[in-house]
Amino acid sequence: MPVLPLSGETFDVTVPVVVIGAGACGLTAALMVADAGVEVLVLERDAVPQGSTALSSGMIPACETRIQAAAGVSDSIEIMTADILSKAHGETDEDMVRTIVAESGPTIDWLVDQHAIELTLVEGFLYPNHRELRMHAPVSRTGADLIGNFSQAAETAGIDIMTEAQVVDLYADDHGMIGGLRLLRPDGTNEKLGCKALILACNGFGGNPEMLARLIPEMTDANYFGHMGNQGEAITWGEELGAATADLGAYQGHGSVAHPHGILISWALMMRGGIQVNREGKRFSNEHLGYSEQGRIVTAQPGSIAWNIFDQRIYDGGLDFEDFRQAIKSDAIRRADTLDDLVAITDLPKDDLLATMADIAALAAGQGKDEFGRDFTTMPGLEAPYYAVKVTGSLFHTQGGLKVNDQAQVMREDGRVLPNLFAGGGAARGVSGPSDWGYLSGNGLLTAVTLGRMAGRAAARLCNGDA
Ligand SMILES: Cc1cc2nc3c(=O)[nH]c(=O)nc-3n(C[C@H](O)[C@H](O)[C@H](O)COP(=O)(O)OP(=O)(O)OC[C@H]3O[C@@H](n4cnc5c(N)ncnc54)[C@H](O)[C@@H]3O)c2cc1C
């Protein structure tokens, strides 16, 4: 995946703006470029645009949106910025967080109003550390519907998406100005294409074992639940061009993937009162701190598994999620009418599990303090019938990447920008700090759509000669 010298190269076809990757970031960027009246081409390695976006729950956090206002939610740029910074322990770029958050509301309004992306406010519970209802998602809560909507919007806007087009090399001059690229077709043939501006929307390196071993060794053997096309080219190309990178050890994990079924079990279950116990029938963490760090914590439990335990009220809430309905169909979720049945269906040590259930009942009744610091008094205690699902921890996507400025321009180590290179989504540095504990739910799609829009706007401006 090298960056090759531009000098002497000619391109039969030159497109003003080329976007690499047709996930949420790439398609948002392309919609923005098209809105500005500039020709854009999206190159996608897969036969159908999907990416990690299609695997997601489609939850995009944003504040001061019209959808929030209609639901009477009073959120603000200040509150959302503070929530992201507090989850990342302040170990991220505060100015970029503020810029991204300020862009979030207008981005959602624009996607919904101008491009018919169907989003609704997710109500009924708050994800860890979010102080307001601000998740905007398709009714099904699936990324499959989200990417389907984006693809439809791109088609309506007349945007060309060239599929089965894997970009392998970039051509750049001595100043880091990108002049074109080479793409590989499934039959082994190559094509070259010129461009005036390039947007990297090809996500991070979760699917690349070599990069994982080097940059996030603790997750080398983890179950990777993201898209295999996330091979880290943006970082490789960027580094060759002298771009700055940051937080390459950062990632989003998840502590609740049904095992062995491989179905995401929403963390909404935990936020509504569910608990996780290990093979010893004991709780091992504060489930309300965040699902990302819980990926590592669950993986460290005996056998790398945990059981999510919840009740009918929580089960009924879970039915809002397509993944949860799939888990029911796959028999991943088991029902128990009594505590004895719960012991039987999970095969967990009886005394320990019953002691755990008694402990959380007391905590819900306001008696005592949880040893892990969770407040159980905000939700009703668990009542029969109970439900249980065996889960494991996973790596969902990487959060480190190319440093970009407030126009999504890729920056060099010395703070100057590369002339015509932009990045967003998982290709760019996220807002989650240096590790897995800084990921506030939705940081992934947040930076995909906001940086995508900023990149599209700036790339179009460059081509229009306004930059
Ligand atoms: C199970 C799961 C659930 C998640 N749920 C949520 C959620 O609810 N909310 C949230 O905010 N985040 C969520 N995330 C994270 C979120 O999915 C990602 O952060 C987001 O989709 C990144 O978008 P993207 O456009 O940067 O990348 P992608 O959606 O991965 O798109 C990148 C595209 O680039 C293509 N590509 C890569 N390399 C090349 C190349 N060389 N040439 C051509 N094409 C290339 C890929 O094939 C891919 O289609 C979840 C992730 C997972 C795995």
Side-chain angles (χ1 to χ4, degrees):
M1 308 278 156
V3 178
L4 303 170
L6 179 62
S7 71
E9 285 299 331
T10 52
F11 302 97
D12 289 340
V13 178
T14 291
V15 180
V17 180
V18 170
V19 180
I20 305 179
C25 178
L27 294 182
T28 306
L31 288 169
M32 195 65 195
V33 176
D35 275 12
V38 174
E39 190 187 346
V40 57
L41 174 67
V42 183
L43 301 175
E44 167 54 51
R45 60 185 285 159
D46 287 351
V48 177
Q50 288 182 326
S52 279
T53 301
L55 301 171
S56 78
S57 307
M59 306 260 176
I60 314 176
C63 65
E64 300 186 11
T65 66
R66 276 200 277 285
I67 294 175
Q68 279 182 314
V73 176
S74 75
D75 198 2
S76 71
I77 294 169
E78 276 314 306
I79 300 173
M80 183 167 159
T81 300
D83 287 355
I84 292 176
L85 288 173
S86 118
K87 188 75 178 83
H89 302 182
E91 293 190 39
T92 183
D93 181 336
E94 182 170 344
D95 291 341
M96 275 309 287
V97 173
R98 198 171 295 281
T99 301
I100 284 166
V101 168
E103 185 82 12
S104 68
T107 300
I108 293 294
D109 289 347
W110 165 75
L111 286 172
V112 171
D113 297 346
Q114 290 201 37
H115 293 292
I117 304 293
E118 289 169 12
L119 297 171
T120 58
L121 192 67
V122 177
E123 298 187 72
F125 68 98
L126 288 168
Y127 277 103
N129 273 67
H130 281 283
R131 282 180 288 169
E132 300 293 345
L133 293 173
R134 58 170 75 105
M135 290 295 183
H136 299 72
V139 172
S140 63
R141 280 76 174 110
T142 65
D145 279 353
L146 183 67
I147 199 73
N149 245 236
F150 267 112
S151 300
Q152 181 59 55
E155 192 179 329
T156 306
I159 293 167
D160 287 325
I161 303 176
M162 186 191 284
T163 55
E164 301 189 311
Q166 180 186 355
V167 179
V168 285
D169 303 320
L170 305 186
Y171 293 95
D173 71 13
D174 293 344
H175 306 286
M177 168 85 81
I178 310 293
L181 47 84
R182 184 172 71 89
L183 57 91
L184 186 63
R185 296 300 221 157
D187 63 4
T189 57
N190 290 286
E191 288 172 33
K192 284 187 195 168
L193 191 68
C195 65
K196 292 187 179 149
L198 182 65
I199 299 176
L200 300 175
C202 42
N203 207 332
F205 54 90
N208 183 326
E210 183 278 318
M211 286 182 82
L212 274 183
R214 187 159 42 90
L215 299 167
I216 315 182
E218 75 206 68
M219 294 310 271
T220 313
D221 298 326
N223 167 32
Y224 176 55
F225 208 61
H227 185 66
M228 287 314 293
N230 299 163
Q231 290 293 321
E233 294 97 327
I235 291 165
T236 312
W237 290 320
E239 284 178 338
E240 278 196 59
L241 288 161
T245 56
D247 295 335
L248 293 183
Y251 61 95
Q252 183 212 342
H254 205 288
S256 181
V257 172
H259 180 74
H261 310 79
I263 300 172
L264 172 62
I265 305 293
S266 171
W267 208 248
L269 270 58
M270 295 298 129
M271 301 316 291
R272 285 178 156 143
I275 58 165
Q276 288 198 308
V277 297
N278 61 17
R279 264 194 185 162
E280 292 159 0
K282 296 176 181 162
R283 285 181 57 240
F284 49 87
S285 62
N286 177 352
E287 300 88 342
H288 282 189
L289 285 184
Y291 53 65
S292 177
E293 53 272 54
Q294 204 72 5
R296 177 175 35 84
I297 294 169
V298 167
T299 306
Q301 298 308 304
S304 298
I305 65 111
W307 285 89
N308 292 355
I309 295 176
F310 48 102
D311 66 5
Q312 188 70 50
R313 175 182 60 81
I314 300 169
Y315 176 100
D316 291 344
L319 293 172
D320 288 350
F321 291 78
E322 174 59 27
D323 287 339
F324 190 78
R325 297 195 291 269
Q326 282 301 328
I328 294 169
K329 276 192 201 142
S330 309
D331 288 330
I333 294 176
R334 306 182 194 172
R335 178 186 158 116
D337 287 325
T338 63
L339 284 174
D340 280 342
D341 288 350
L342 186 63
V343 172
I345 61 164
T346 55
D347 202 19
L348 294 171
K350 181 171 182 175
D351 291 349
D352 290 311
L353 182 59
L354 293 185
T356 299
M357 297 303 283
D359 281 351
I360 61 159
L363 290 168
Q367 296 156 14
K369 269 197 178 292
D370 177 33
E371 61 177 306
F372 303 107
R374 173 168 160 185
D375 180 1
F376 276 84
T377 60
T378 57
M379 290 282 162
L382 300 186
E383 288 175 357
Y386 304 100
Y387 291 87
V389 51
K390 194 199 279 187
V391 296
T392 189
S394 289
L395 167 65
F396 273 17
H397 67 285
T398 55
Q399 275 281 291
L402 301 172
K403 266 175 120 172
V404 294
N405 67 8
D406 60 4
Q407 301 188 47
Q409 290 175 287
V410 176
M411 296 165 70
R412 300 174 193 268
E413 290 290 354
D414 63 9
R416 288 178 301 137
V417 294
L418 285 156
N420 62 348
L421 187 64
F422 304 83
R429 174 200 195 180
V431 289
S432 307
S435 187
D436 62 346
W437 40 257
Y439 184 86
L440 187 71
S441 315
N443 276 358
L445 285 171
L446 170 68
T447 54
V449 298
T450 54
L451 288 175
R453 186 165 184 251
M454 287 151 64
R457 186 193 295 131
R461 216 184 292 135
L462 184 75
C463 292
N464 280 332
D466 305 334

